[in-house]
Amino acid sequence: KPAPRLPVVCVCDPSSSQIRQQGRSRHTMPAFLLVACLTFVLLHDRIVRGPEQHPGTMRAVRSLPCMCKLPTGCGEGDAALLRVLSAAGVDREPKRVSELTAGFCNSVFLVELPFDAQIGGETTVVVKLFSPLAKLRLRPSERGRGDQDASDANLGPRLLFKCMDGLITEYMDGMRDLTEAELHSPGAGPLVRAIASRLAALHSLPLPEPEGCSSDNGDGGVEVALWVFMERMLTRIERMPHGLPPTISAEEIRGEVRRMRRSTDALALPIVHGHGDLKPSNVMGSADSTRVQFIDFELAGAHYRGYDLHKIFRTGLPATPASRANVELFLTVYRDATGGLVMRTEDLKGGASAGLATPSLPLPTLAELRAEAAASEPLTWLEAAVFFWFAMAEFPSQSAEWAPLALDRWSKYRATAHLVEKGGAAAVQLKEARGRAVEAEEEVVLAAVEE
């Protein structure tokens, strides 16, 4: 606890022998009281803060019940966690620290703080540290921006603090991360409905302010976040291609990215404020499956609408009637919950103002949503493959671990890339869906005119 206030308030600077008194002259203070005051302050500082510890700093605590060592991949040791907490204004020892996850991009910790060291009114918080890979993929100004937008819209955990090294959010007690099996199982209706409604709300947010990005073809339009992130990773891969296996070249990877970019541009897919990595493990659900919350908005930004729609249900599990029914329910609820606050690719190239959602599209039909999700499948596999090639280029010593993952995603991309090419199944499906939507709109207009 803080030192109690004394009848005579003394301000003691540990680096100086000067003492300043408030409310009483130095000459009127009894010598024994001065000595007692100094002794109390010095002993209190040593007992509470420890030797050579000053306010505003933190030290490694060896007596924590569960103090974890950060993953080797982060390369910054326990100091990284303590540095983020200190930057947030915490100058007391955490009561307990336990590791929640240690993924490819981030390490996440649950931290219990003393009552008098709470952050934003919270004593139990989640601290996410950005790894070197995350810092290479995101500019400093982009780190935590998606989490801030989601927090402001009540679509993600409340963001308590962010800096270049990490961020701190509230701990969502009673919530757990979801699994693929849950979303594809019978009886997942309440969960599917909750996710669809929340995703529609996220997609209706204004597009984030761009970070000075421009498209490859020089048209001055706002970039889709997917291509921005892949371009940054490709640049690193080309600088250090030695991490790639002999069967894959940096030129081949860039060629495929350009190919997909041309194909998706031709489809004019709707663009929304998307999550960018909406997999089941990035969705937290309540015990009764009626309440959900999205997490990990690191890749959030301007994304194709179908990208999130496809990735949340992308699975390696065998297709079942229950799984197909859940996907159809998801798209139906999403369609009913969403509005027309989206933008087509040509709207962006035409100079539409970023940060303002444009109600330029009617309510999408189920057929359009199915086609958009199908067209996004190869993009999800391509992004994952490029990420693992990028990780291998940055950390060649771990190539043996990541190469099988990269090759798996690459093969799945190659097997689905034809879907979005001219005459491909997803391209044809989307064209037909839009044609039927136009015909339906024309019939409604004609009916109104006749009335």
Side-chain angles (χ1 to χ4, degrees):
K1 298 181 179 179
R5 292 186 178 274
L6 302 176
V8 178
V9 181
C10 298
V11 180
C12 179
D13 182 355
S15 63
S16 170
S17 61
Q18 297 179 349
I19 298 177
R20 185 176 73 254
Q21 301 180 51
Q22 299 176 358
R24 179 178 294 188
S25 167
R26 179 193 300 247
H27 300 289
T28 62
M29 185 177 191
F32 76 90
L33 183 57
L34 173 61
V35 173
C37 215
L38 281 170
T39 303
F40 177 87
V41 171
L42 292 175
L43 287 178
H44 177 270
D45 184 72
R46 178 166 293 272
I47 292 172
V48 175
R49 299 189 184 279
E52 300 180 5
Q53 180 69 14
H54 300 283
T57 62
M58 296 194 66
R59 61 186 174 86
V61 183
R62 301 183 185 280
S63 59
L64 286 179
C66 186
M67 184 61 183
C68 302
K69 183 178 180 181
L70 300 185
T72 306
C74 291
E76 298 182 7
D78 297 342
L81 176 61
L82 297 176
R83 186 165 58 249
V84 172
L85 288 171
S86 181
V90 177
D91 61 355
R92 300 293 304 278
E93 300 174 357
K95 294 171 60 178
R96 183 181 297 270
V97 177
S98 54
E99 186 173 4
L100 297 179
T101 62
F104 291 104
C105 272
N106 305 301
S107 297
V108 184
F109 297 86
L110 181 66
V111 180
E112 297 180 34
L113 300 169
F115 180 76
D116 56 351
Q118 56 186 273
I119 303 175
E122 301 287 342
T123 54
T124 303
V125 299
V126 175
V127 181
K128 179 168 72 172
L129 303 178
F130 300 134
S131 75
L133 290 178
K135 291 179 178 179
L136 287 171
R137 190 160 55 167
L138 296 170
R139 295 192 179 110
S141 60
E142 295 170 338
R143 298 170 196 168
R145 186 179 66 174
D147 297 88
Q148 182 69 70
D149 292 341
S151 173
D152 293 343
N154 195 30
L155 293 172
R158 186 162 65 95
L159 184 65
L160 307 174
F161 176 80
K162 67 183 177 75
C163 63
M164 291 192 298
D165 292 322
L167 55 83
I168 303 176
T169 67
E170 65 175 337
Y171 171 64
M172 295 179 292
D173 194 18
M175 306 278 279
R176 90 286 182 192
D177 55 336
L178 304 183
T179 64
E180 290 184 11
E182 283 184 276
L183 292 185
H184 293 269
S185 64
L191 192 60
V192 169
R193 289 178 181 275
I195 295 173
S197 298
R198 205 155 190 81
L199 183 59
L202 175 64
H203 284 182
S204 295
L205 292 181
L207 292 178
E209 194 69 24
E211 291 289 332
C213 303
S214 60
S215 55
D216 290 344
N217 55 16
D219 59 13
V222 178
E223 281 282 15
V224 173
L226 174 70
W227 307 119
V228 174
F229 294 140
M230 282 210 279
E231 176 60 31
R232 293 175 187 172
M233 292 188 289
L234 278 170
T235 300
R236 301 294 299 186
I237 292 172
E238 290 170 339
R239 290 178 183 175
M240 296 172 286
H242 51 273
L244 297 175
T247 57
I248 300 292
S249 68
E251 293 77 11
E252 181 182 1
I253 299 173
R254 179 170 287 281
E256 290 300 319
V257 171
R258 286 174 177 166
R259 172 191 173 194
M260 284 297 101
R261 177 67 182 274
R262 289 192 300 267
S263 298
T264 51
D265 280 352
L267 296 178
L269 297 172
I271 297 171
V272 297
H273 187 132
H275 184 282
D277 193 20
L278 193 62
K279 52 192 176 185
S281 59
N282 281 338
V283 180
M284 306 291 288
S286 61
D288 60 1
S289 299
T290 59
R291 186 166 55 94
V292 299
Q293 191 78 290
F294 300 152
I295 60 173
D296 196 2
F297 291 84
E298 183 175 310
L299 303 181
H303 283 284
Y304 299 123
R305 179 169 61 189
Y307 196 87
D308 284 343
L309 298 180
H310 173 77
K311 194 163 186 178
I312 185 63
F313 276 97
R314 191 186 71 180
T315 180
L317 300 173
T320 64
S323 176
R324 288 188 287 268
N326 289 347
V327 172
E328 194 68 10
L329 174 63
F330 172 77
L331 294 178
T332 301
V333 175
Y334 175 90
R335 189 272 315 272
D336 294 342
T338 193
L341 301 179
V342 294
M343 302 172 99
R344 286 189 190 273
T345 305
E346 58 263 28
D347 293 329
L348 294 176
K349 294 180 179 179
S353 175
L356 296 175
T358 303
S360 57
L361 288 180
L363 190 68
T365 65
L366 282 176
E368 287 179 294
L369 295 178
R370 294 189 201 101
E372 290 172 23
S376 298
E377 180 177 4
L379 301 181
T380 65
W381 294 124
L382 178 60
E383 188 276 337
V386 171
F387 171 76
F388 284 116
W389 299 136
F390 159 66
M392 291 166 61
E394 295 295 330
F395 299 100
S397 61
Q398 296 178 267
S399 292
E401 174 187 354
W402 292 340
L405 299 173
L407 291 171
D408 174 73
R409 275 58 170 183
W410 185 250
S411 64
K412 290 176 178 175
Y413 156 70
R414 298 299 295 268
T416 58
H418 67 279
L419 293 174
V420 296
E421 294 178 340
K422 187 175 180 179
V428 172
Q429 184 182 357
L430 184 59
K431 183 178 179 180
E432 293 177 350
R434 287 175 176 169
R436 290 193 296 270
V438 171
E439 292 175 359
E441 290 176 10
E442 292 175 349
E443 291 177 1
V444 171
V445 172
L446 289 174
V449 170
E450 291 176 356
E451 291 180 0

